[in-house]
Amino acid sequence: MTIADFRQEMKKKTHIIANSDLHLHMHEEAQTARKLTVKINNEYHTREELCKLFSELTGRCVDESFTLFPPFYTDYGKNITVGKNVFVNSGCCFQDQGGIEIGDNVLIGQQVVMATLNHDLKPEARANMSPAPIKIGNNVWIGAHTTILSGVTVGNGAVIAAGAVVTKDVPDNVVVAGVAAKIIKIIKE
């Protein structure tokens, strides 16, 4: 299975059966992601070097305006896209098999988790997974220790308060906070 084939299956939100070709592909690519994140995380790199390494990790050219403060963790890597002027702070974990799309001018705080997979609720099928993408709009600020769950879209100009757990879509130009995150303020331009 190629990366392109896998991405197509994830766009269809194909249910991933344990030990299927899709599942085995994820495990194979996880080894590549681990090798690259060890390289990213365990020695000093210039901004330019980190852009190159992140491009290799994602399989896509990352704009030279991208900034990453390691460490960074992912268990796939090849289903992440980032726009221009994106800042990812230290300790972030992106479970990206279902797809993570990050717009332009996005600030991501320390230890943010984005999780695009859910396991089956039935105990006998618990190893099976359902993917759903996370989409982050332009000009978004995601506070430290936030968790964004699968299938969530964060609108343009939104702010996610530190420690929030985002389980539902976030409209444009609002501040959300809490567990589960709720709108606490509308941002007026």
Side-chain angles (χ1 to χ4, degrees):
M1 172 171 289
T2 68
I3 301 295
D5 292 338
F6 181 81
R7 287 177 183 155
Q8 279 304 112
E9 289 300 314
M10 294 303 97
K11 283 182 182 178
K12 294 185 221 172
K13 298 183 183 177
T14 301
H15 191 68
I16 302 166
I17 305 298
N19 299 314
S20 66
D21 288 344
L22 281 172
H23 192 223
L24 295 175
H25 170 81
M26 286 172 23
H27 280 275
E28 289 169 14
E29 285 303 317
Q31 301 312 307
T32 302
R34 286 177 51 214
K35 287 177 191 174
L36 284 166
T37 55
V38 164
K39 192 180 237 185
I40 288 168
N41 296 338
N42 290 305
E43 59 184 76
Y44 174 80
H45 298 283
T46 65
R47 181 178 177 169
E48 294 80 16
E49 290 168 337
L50 285 169
C51 280
K52 184 176 178 184
L53 286 166
F54 204 81
S55 294
E56 187 177 348
L57 178 65
T58 63
R60 296 176 167 105
C61 186
V62 175
D63 190 79
E64 63 185 17
S65 62
F66 175 76
T67 302
L68 173 68
F69 283 10
F72 175 80
Y73 305 97
T74 184
D75 50 2
Y76 188 72
K78 298 289 191 266
N79 215 1
I80 301 170
T81 58
V82 295
K84 295 179 181 178
N85 299 310
V86 171
F87 173 76
V88 178
N89 214 328
S90 60
C92 290
C93 299
F94 291 5
Q95 180 199 51
D96 65 293
Q97 290 91 335
I100 296 174
E101 296 176 26
I102 301 170
D104 296 335
N105 306 308
V106 174
L107 302 172
I108 301 174
Q110 296 97 339
Q111 299 182 344
V112 167
V113 173
M114 294 191 201
T116 65
L117 295 175
N118 276 319
H119 285 275
D120 200 301
L121 290 177
K122 293 179 234 136
E124 65 276 7
R126 189 69 39 88
N128 297 341
M129 293 165 275
S130 298
I134 293 171
K135 297 179 182 179
I136 308 298
N138 298 322
N139 305 303
V140 172
W141 174 21
I142 302 171
H145 299 274
T146 292
T147 299
I148 301 174
L149 298 181
S150 64
V152 168
T153 296
V154 177
N156 296 325
V159 175
I160 313 298
V165 176
V166 185
T167 61
K168 297 178 190 172
D169 289 353
V170 176
D172 293 350
N173 300 309
V174 298
V175 178
V176 297
V179 179
K182 294 180 177 26
I183 296 171
I184 61 167
K185 184 175 187 174
I186 296 172
I187 301 169
K188 296 180 182 171
E189 295 183 24

